[in-house]
Every structure is written in structure tokens, then in C-alpha cells.
Amino acid sequence: ERGFGGVLGPGSIERARGVLEGLGDLRLAFEHRDCAPWNVVLTDGDAPAVLDWESAEPRGLPACDLIYFLATATFVLEGSIESGRIHQDYAVMLDRRSAYGRIAAACLDEYSRRLGLDRDAVRRLRLLCWIERCRRGSPELGAGTGIDERISMEAVSLRLVGEELGLAEDAAP
């Protein structure tokens, strides 16, 4: 609220509180906190391995690594940052009728099933994921990827907080 309340616009803090109030107790999860395509490699046996563990949190939030990975993978594959299509491509990733949406939904559904999270909790965790990324700051998205290095994931995360608040508003009864 202190850091970003004025940037998000009137009523955003209250909307965020409203969305997060219904989250309830969560199972703690080991959270990498930078699980993105640039930190995943294939081993010689074609098994995925995750690099760059200095930000890891053993008592972290569930689903946030997966949400972050799915979003950043979409942004990298679609060139969302360079084209300015963050909102549109994020919406495509959340649309179960799109190719990215089907993949994201399948991954999140399986993850949720295994952890006992309902779809509403995942929706709330998406907002919390982006709020948390804004709060703690994040590494440059562009580092080593050819993307404009002035664009940080913190700025993208702030946009996605607004996107989730808009989605939350649309989902309200």
C-alpha cells in the first residue's frame, strides 16, 4: 500500500484487500521466487533442472512459482514486453480456450489438485504473486535475453496487479 497504492489508482487497495481476504490458510511451499524460462535448463538426460536459487524461500507461497513461470514463458514466446502486449497476452494465457490457456490451466489444475487448492484460491494467489513480486522487487527481465533491459519484472508485475484487480472486478458477483 505504501509503495504502490498511489500508482494503482483509486480503490485498488480496497479491491486487493477484498480479493485476498477470502484466501484463507495456505499450505507453505518451497518457493524458488525466480522460476522463469531463463532459469530452467535441460540436463544431458533431458530432465529439467532449475538454476539460480539465491532468492528461494523454504516457507513460501504455493502456486506462485508456477504462475510466474507460465506468465514469463508466455511473455518470452510472444514477445509481449517488446510489443507492449503484456495485458493482452496475459489474458490469452488465462483463457482456457487458447493454446497457452489450455497449457496454463492444465498445469495449474494439476498443481491445485495435488495441493488441495480450489480454482478461487489460485485466482487469489495470482494477485498475491504479482503483489509480492512488486513488494520485494525483481531482477531485470531483459538481462541476457535481448529485451530492453530498462524494463523490469517489477514494472510488469505492477501492471499485472492492475490486470488481476480488473479481472477480480469482472469476476465479482
Side-chain angles (χ1 to χ4, degrees):
E1 183 173 357
R2 286 188 306 269
F4 300 102
V7 177
L8 289 171
S12 295
I13 299 301
E14 292 77 18
R15 281 198 311 271
R17 281 192 181 119
V19 170
L20 297 176
E21 275 178 1
L23 193 54
D25 292 335
L26 298 170
R27 286 177 69 177
L28 295 177
F30 196 96
E31 189 179 359
H32 181 276
R33 293 191 152 190
D34 192 19
C35 189
W38 48 86
N39 282 330
V40 178
V41 297
L42 291 178
T43 65
D44 290 339
D46 288 333
V50 181
L51 309 173
D52 192 13
W53 288 88
E54 74 265 2
S55 300
E57 174 57 52
R59 297 173 46 90
L61 296 168
C64 287
D65 279 342
L66 182 55
I67 291 163
Y68 184 69
F69 181 86
L70 292 167
T72 55
T74 299
F75 297 155
V76 168
L77 291 170
E78 288 301 306
S80 308
I81 307 296
E82 305 93 329
S83 68
R85 292 184 44 85
I86 294 166
H87 291 287
Q88 297 92 328
D89 291 340
Y90 188 66
V92 167
M93 186 205 80
L94 296 177
D95 183 351
R96 290 173 174 262
R97 297 168 297 180
S98 73
Y100 290 126
R102 283 189 297 278
I103 292 167
C107 292
L108 287 166
D109 288 350
E110 179 64 15
Y111 182 92
S112 299
R113 184 186 66 73
R114 289 179 183 233
L115 262 65
L117 295 171
D118 62 27
R119 196 174 276 175
D120 189 55
V122 172
R123 179 182 61 85
R124 294 169 195 272
L125 282 164
R126 286 195 326 251
L127 173 61
L128 190 54
C129 170
W130 301 120
I131 288 173
E132 179 61 17
R133 291 207 70 81
C134 288
R135 188 192 64 77
R136 71 174 184 260
S138 38
E140 294 293 319
L141 175 64
T145 63
I147 297 172
D148 184 341
E149 298 202 10
R150 295 169 298 174
I151 300 172
S152 69
M153 267 315 288
E154 184 176 65
V156 171
S157 297
L158 186 58
R159 292 180 195 171
L160 295 176
V161 166
E163 185 73 14
E164 284 295 336
L165 290 174
L167 291 171
E169 192 173 74
D170 293 343

